[in-house]
């Protein structure tokens, strides 16, 4: 297939490398300096410095050239840049199927990525969500990975799944767009909390408890938004959550560990050099928890540490001192 991947960060580059094995892929970046480096070195020095770009992979900073002959567009930019990019695609006057590889809620509007597509781009163009436990480095290396592609348009995306599914990039289908998106968004917040716990050396028991109770928060919000409960037991739910909370390559976990060490958020984000979506998602998730009147104490604790600069030790103590609860929501 002819595929346009928009966004040359770690995830977009990894997917471009992986999919170039069997497809005609064009990778787009808006940054002219980055494009010049990619063309000259055939390496994404900032995000995947140890991996070469295949000779077959086309590179461009011209959006119209990237999507001109594409059969579908895979967007791998941060949620904060999604609306602007979709507006630019709309201006080209070519309606294409969209696969979203971004995770989180839009700041202020609290919209999920597919909702931004419907608002800005098209309510009728096929739109899918690609999510699941996947570090970019391993996807680029061709290591075994399983993902979920969720869409309301099952017929169209069934064909795409057949095309991009391989032994090392297994794609499972779902029609629960909201559930898959919510799982991919909130797991980043829980990963920050787990990083804080690990940074404070609270132990493996605490980590397991945080992941489990974090899953309960993800499920509560996801169901409130209209997602299916079983989705959170799958790849886009607990699978992605476990990876992001425990893997050393997790940016959000790194943020949590640095917060536990007393470092300031601006300094942390500068050191990481990548987008940590959980930082922005935490505030939107906390806002929605109030709107739906659901309990999300871990998420609220992360917000207190990030936005109110409450010491991590105090937040942890407050969570631990909560009244006993029944384990499952009724």
């Amino acid at each position: 297939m002819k595929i346009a991947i928009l966004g040359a960060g770690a995830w977009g580059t990894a997917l471009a490398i992986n999919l170039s094995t069997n497809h005609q892929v064009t990778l787009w970046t808006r940054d002219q300096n980055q494009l010049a480096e990619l063309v000259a070195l055939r390496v994404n020095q900032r995000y995947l410095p140890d991996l070469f770009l295949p000779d077959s992979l086309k590179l461009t900073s011209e959006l119209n050239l990237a999507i001109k002959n594409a059969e579908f567009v895979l967007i791998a930019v941060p949620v904060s840049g999604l609306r602007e990019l979709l507006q630019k695609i709309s201006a080209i006057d070519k309606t294409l199927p969209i696969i979203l590889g971004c995770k989180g809620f839009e700041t202020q509007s609290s919209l999920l990525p597919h909702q931004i597509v419907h608002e800005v781009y098209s309510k009728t163009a096929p739109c899918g969500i690609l999510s699941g436990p996947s570090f970019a480095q391993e996807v680029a290396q061709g290591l075994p990975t399983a993902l979920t592609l969720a869409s309301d348009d099952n017929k169209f995306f069934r064909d795409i799944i057949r095309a991009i599914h391989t032994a090392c990039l297994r794609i499972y289908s779902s029609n629960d767009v909201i559930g898959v998106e919510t799982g991919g968004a909130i797991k980043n917040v829980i990963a920050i909390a787990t990083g804080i716990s690990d940074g404070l050396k609270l132990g493996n028991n605490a980590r397991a408890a945080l992941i489990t109770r974090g899953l309960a928060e993800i499920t509560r919000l996801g169901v409130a938004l209209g997602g299916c409960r079983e989705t959170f037991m799958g790849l886009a739910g607990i699978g992605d959550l476990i990876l992001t909370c425990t893997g050393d390559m997790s940016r959000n976990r790194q943020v949590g560990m640095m917060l536990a060490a007393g470092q300031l958020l601006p300094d942390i984000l500068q050191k990481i050099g990548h987008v940590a979506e959980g930082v922005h998602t935490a505030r939107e998730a906390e806002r929605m928890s109030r709107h739906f009147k659901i309990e999300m104490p871990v998420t609220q604790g992360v917000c207190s540490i990030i936005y109110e600069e409450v010491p991590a030790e105090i937040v942890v103590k407050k969570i631990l001192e909560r009244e006993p609860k029944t384990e499952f929501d009724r």
Side-chain angles (χ1 to χ4, degrees), residues 174-243:
S174 170
N175 59 6
D176 184 12
V177 173
I178 290 176
V180 168
E181 282 186 313
T182 305
I186 308 301
K187 57 95 181 182
N188 286 325
V189 181
I190 307 305
I192 293 176
T194 307
I196 291 170
S197 176
D198 288 347
L200 294 175
K201 302 187 186 307
L202 298 183
N204 293 316
N205 294 351
R207 179 198 288 178
L210 267 173
I211 292 172
T212 307
R213 297 314 301 164
L215 180 62
E217 294 192 12
I218 293 171
T219 305
R220 285 188 202 121
L221 182 58
V223 170
L225 289 170
C228 300
R229 188 175 296 272
E230 57 265 33
T231 296
F232 306 107
M233 299 299 110
L235 292 168
I238 194 168
D240 207 1
L241 178 65
I242 290 172
L243 181 70

Side-chain angles (χ1 to χ4, degrees), residues 145-183:
T145 301
L147 300 172
T148 297
L149 180 57
S151 174
D152 293 330
D153 193 330
N154 287 333
K155 182 180 183 301
F156 177 82
F157 283 98
R158 196 177 298 121
D159 295 335
I160 289 184
I161 288 173
R162 287 197 191 100
I164 66 175
H165 179 100
T166 66
C168 291
L169 189 65
R170 298 186 57 80
I171 311 294
Y172 293 82
S173 63
S174 170
N175 59 6
D176 184 12
V177 173
I178 290 176
V180 168
E181 282 186 313
T182 305

Side-chain angles (χ1 to χ4, degrees), residues 94-110:
K94 181 179 181 180
T95 303
L96 286 166
I98 299 286
I99 293 180
L100 296 162
C102 39
K103 299 177 179 180
F105 295 89
E106 187 177 46
T107 302
Q108 299 303 319
S109 74
S110 297

